[in-house]
Amino acid sequence: MMRRERFHPPIVIAVAMLASGCFSDPGRGQPTDSQTSDGESTTLGSTENPTEDPTENPTTTTSDPTGDPTGDPDPTQTDTSDTTEEPECLDPDDCDEDGISNAEEMVDGSDCRRSDPYRQDTDNDGLLDAEDPYPRDPYPRFVLFRNETGTIDFMLANGDGKYQPPIQIGSPYGGSEIATYRYTFCAISDFDDNGQLDFLAIGDPDPEAAGERELWWFERTGIDTFTQRKIDPAFSGILSSTIIDLDGDGYPETVTLEKDQPNYIESGWIYTNHNTGNVATATCGATEETANPDDCLFVRTLAADVSAWVNDQWSLAFTRYGFDGNGDGIADLLISRSSNGGNANSPIAMVPGVGDGSFLPPGPTAVVHNNDQMASPARAIGTGDFNNDGHADIFAGLDQDDGVSGSLWLYLGEPHPDGGTLWAADNGSEVLNIGSASTTVIAVDDYNNDGDLDLMLGFTADGSSNPPSQTELFTGNGDGTFNLGEIVREFPDSTLGTRFFAPQDGCVPTL
């Protein structure tokens, strides 16, 4: 029996939402996102004791209910350090006889799922690995929202595209008594590679002022409970929602596109924050020293200089997930540019990955969006296999006030004669139109678990940055079309509908 395919989104968001602040590199460090995240952190767990300081026990963890499905066990070897009896291998090619070969269970592969070749139900959640879209995670998925009460709003997924009512998690005000303290940005992934979602968050004592912020890690211990650990009390780096495992070690990196734009853009750079895998023990957020003498969580390196491609442009858009666009099995990115602030066309190019966290310069234009000015400029770009043909498709658009406001177009991927994928402008069509809405967040995943990719959008409804705002889910039909949006959450008096955070596994499927 073959496992049920989970179609992982090879890329989302057009403009990565970033946490403000950067390293002191003259002329660099300005995130390209038009709405920078001030720093968002989350402390999952009860908020009944507002005086409890979560830093008093910063390394609290919980045991893995699955035994140890976190690594890549070799079914032909026995771990002599483990005093428990190794499960019997019933078949040398399929030890647990679940219909998934040992080799397939130990790699992410085309479905981005690793599992234990000795256990038919790796996470002991009652769902066999062959049918489980997340075989190492026993808990349901979730989304997070920023709030204005000094905590984080947590919404548990039902698995059908619906969500439970929000509850507040996290230590109020980061365990301080600062009434202005807010968790302003969250990045949800599996940063410790134990198979279960956790997340990083930025806590900012004063989001309205420049300054250092706090970097937190939230490790999940139950359906709606987490431990909260402060990694860095003076974090000055950028926490990005572009999350990809760029070197294949299981620990996802974060990637940022930064620019120097006094008026028109003069220069641009892609930076990779290499995940060192020590999120449970790190006491430093990021460093630019490759030796990492302070044992920081991330080592920041220059991944590519894209200045020649972005020079003299007005705006850029960048992707949130990686995808394999040239068929070499390595994560690539997309980048787009617009030459002015009007109804401009938007050339989109692939940025090929090297496999070590670095990238080559942008290649030839993959497709020109809005070439006839009958759509809207590419405020957002992303990819995903929305028609289930094994080739990544590109979406672009969602400008709020130029061209066909709120229009989103999809360009279907086709086989390239030399391998990989190509996109043709005449193979594109409008798939959504949300009107004059200011969209700041767009995420991709199979939110209703039907095997087809969906879109989740957060936007303000009147084309400005003013209330009201809402988050909507547009479920995919598996053929490159989408159903009408369903409200996930509404905010009649605030713009918090644009401040949701959805999980990103960081895996790039091999197609």
Side-chain angles (χ1 to χ4, degrees), residues 244-384:
I244 312 165
D245 180 10
L246 292 174
D247 51 18
D249 65 355
Y251 297 102
E253 278 71 46
T254 67
V255 185
T256 60
L257 173 63
E258 301 167 28
K259 63 183 179 179
D260 179 19
Q261 185 173 9
N263 187 6
Y264 283 82
I265 298 170
E266 293 185 354
S267 304
W269 309 269
I270 296 174
Y271 283 90
T272 293
N273 291 308
H274 295 267
N275 185 349
T276 62
N278 65 347
V279 68
T281 59
T283 56
C284 164
T287 180
E288 292 185 321
E289 298 184 57
T290 55
N292 194 15
D294 297 321
D295 201 26
C296 296
L297 171 58
F298 294 116
V299 175
R300 170 181 157 99
T301 63
L302 177 64
D305 188 331
V306 296
S307 298
W309 199 82
V310 305
N311 179 257
D312 204 31
Q313 300 296 304
W314 178 254
S315 65
L316 305 175
F318 193 50
T319 55
R320 182 177 180 180
Y321 290 87
F323 76 110
D324 182 10
N326 54 12
D328 63 358
I330 297 173
D332 308 311
L333 300 172
L334 286 181
I335 186 173
S336 74
R337 63 190 181 192
S338 296
S339 60
N340 61 67
N343 188 23
N345 64 24
S346 302
I348 301 172
M350 186 172 70
V351 185
V354 175
D356 59 359
S358 63
F359 296 88
L360 299 175
T365 299
V367 67
V368 179
H369 171 67
N370 197 33
N371 199 34
D372 56 5
Q373 281 74 53
M374 297 300 292
S376 67
R379 184 175 186 185
I381 59 172
T383 69

Side-chain angles (χ1 to χ4, degrees), residues 69 89-90 119 124 136 143 194 220 248 287 405 415:
C89 183
L90 304 175
R119 298 177 175 88
N124 295 329
R136 295 197 297 157
V143 295
N194 74 341
R220 200 172 189 182
T287 180
S405 300

Side-chain angles (χ1 to χ4, degrees), residues 79-303:
D79 184 359
T80 56
S81 65
D82 189 353
T83 58
T84 61
E85 183 179 353
E86 189 71 27
E88 181 182 1
C89 183
L90 304 175
D91 181 329
D93 296 320
D94 183 7
C95 281
D96 55 11
E97 294 188 336
D98 62 354
I100 313 171
S101 70
N102 298 329
E104 185 181 355
E105 292 204 60
M106 291 189 294
V107 298
D108 289 323
S110 62
D111 56 8
C112 281
R113 290 185 290 175
R114 276 177 286 158
S115 51
D116 189 336
Y118 286 112
R119 298 177 175 88
Q120 292 190 357
D121 180 8
T122 296
D123 56 12
N124 295 329
D125 63 354
L127 191 61
L128 297 180
D129 292 345
E131 302 297 327
D132 193 341
Y134 308 101
R136 295 197 297 157
D137 195 343
Y139 304 122
R141 309 284 271 186
F142 60 89
V143 295
L144 303 173
F145 284 83
R146 173 177 172 168
N147 66 30
E148 295 300 338
T149 58
T151 58
I152 299 170
D153 286 354
F154 171 95
M155 294 182 69
L156 188 70
N158 292 336
D160 59 357
K162 309 291 186 182
Y163 289 84
Q164 297 290 318
I167 63 172
Q168 293 188 34
I169 59 172
S171 180
Y173 310 122
S176 73
E177 297 182 355
I178 303 173
T180 56
Y181 191 105
R182 296 291 183 269
Y183 298 104
T184 55
F185 185 81
C186 301
I188 309 171
S189 190
D190 180 11
F191 288 101
D192 61 352
D193 190 32
N194 74 341
Q196 302 175 20
L197 287 177
D198 51 71
F199 67 95
L200 297 169
I202 297 287
D204 195 333
D206 186 359
E208 301 301 321
E212 294 177 330
R213 294 136 312 133
E214 297 179 330
L215 178 63
W216 297 90
W217 179 52
F218 294 88
E219 181 183 25
R220 200 172 189 182
T221 58
I223 289 179
D224 58 4
T225 59
F226 295 74
T227 58
Q228 176 175 352
R229 176 180 176 274
K230 187 184 294 183
I231 294 176
D232 194 334
F235 184 63
S236 59
I238 298 177
L239 184 61
S240 169
S241 58
T242 298
I243 302 172
I244 312 165
D245 180 10
L246 292 174
D247 51 18
D249 65 355
Y251 297 102
E253 278 71 46
T254 67
V255 185
T256 60
L257 173 63
E258 301 167 28
K259 63 183 179 179
D260 179 19
Q261 185 173 9
N263 187 6
Y264 283 82
I265 298 170
E266 293 185 354
S267 304
W269 309 269
I270 296 174
Y271 283 90
T272 293
N273 291 308
H274 295 267
N275 185 349
T276 62
N278 65 347
V279 68
T281 59
T283 56
C284 164
T287 180
E288 292 185 321
E289 298 184 57
T290 55
N292 194 15
D294 297 321
D295 201 26
C296 296
L297 171 58
F298 294 116
V299 175
R300 170 181 157 99
T301 63
L302 177 64

Side-chain angles (χ1 to χ4, degrees), residues 318-509:
F318 193 50
T319 55
R320 182 177 180 180
Y321 290 87
F323 76 110
D324 182 10
N326 54 12
D328 63 358
I330 297 173
D332 308 311
L333 300 172
L334 286 181
I335 186 173
S336 74
R337 63 190 181 192
S338 296
S339 60
N340 61 67
N343 188 23
N345 64 24
S346 302
I348 301 172
M350 186 172 70
V351 185
V354 175
D356 59 359
S358 63
F359 296 88
L360 299 175
T365 299
V367 67
V368 179
H369 171 67
N370 197 33
N371 199 34
D372 56 5
Q373 281 74 53
M374 297 300 292
S376 67
R379 184 175 186 185
I381 59 172
T383 69
D385 185 6
F386 293 98
N387 62 350
N388 298 329
D389 66 351
H391 295 279
D393 312 310
I394 295 177
F395 64 78
L398 294 178
D399 192 278
Q400 77 272 27
D401 57 7
D402 291 307
V404 182
S405 300
S407 171
L408 183 71
W409 280 58
L410 185 68
Y411 299 90
L412 298 178
E414 303 172 359
H416 194 288
D418 298 327
T421 304
L422 60 81
W423 301 269
D426 59 4
N427 201 19
S429 62
E430 183 183 71
V431 292
L432 290 180
N433 193 320
I434 56 175
S436 296
S438 179
T439 304
T440 57
V441 178
I442 180 169
V444 177
D445 207 339
D446 180 9
Y447 292 104
N448 59 357
N449 291 317
D450 66 351
D452 302 322
L453 287 181
D454 312 311
L455 295 173
M456 188 176 290
L457 277 68
F459 54 91
T460 55
D462 66 353
S464 70
S465 299
N466 301 315
S469 64
Q470 60 200 53
T471 307
E472 288 194 25
L473 176 64
F474 297 84
T475 56
N477 295 313
D479 59 0
T481 66
F482 298 88
N483 297 302
L484 294 176
E486 299 181 25
I487 299 293
V488 175
R489 197 172 179 194
E490 294 180 287
F491 295 85
D493 301 317
S494 77
T495 61
L496 293 176
T498 68
R499 305 308 301 274
F500 79 88
F501 309 98
Q504 297 126 52
D505 296 316
C507 169
V508 176

Side-chain angles (χ1 to χ4, degrees), residues 30-44:
Q30 180 183 356
T32 63
D33 189 7
S34 57
Q35 179 173 348
T36 344
S37 173
D38 326 331
E40 223 156 309
S41 87
T42 161
T43 305
L44 299 183

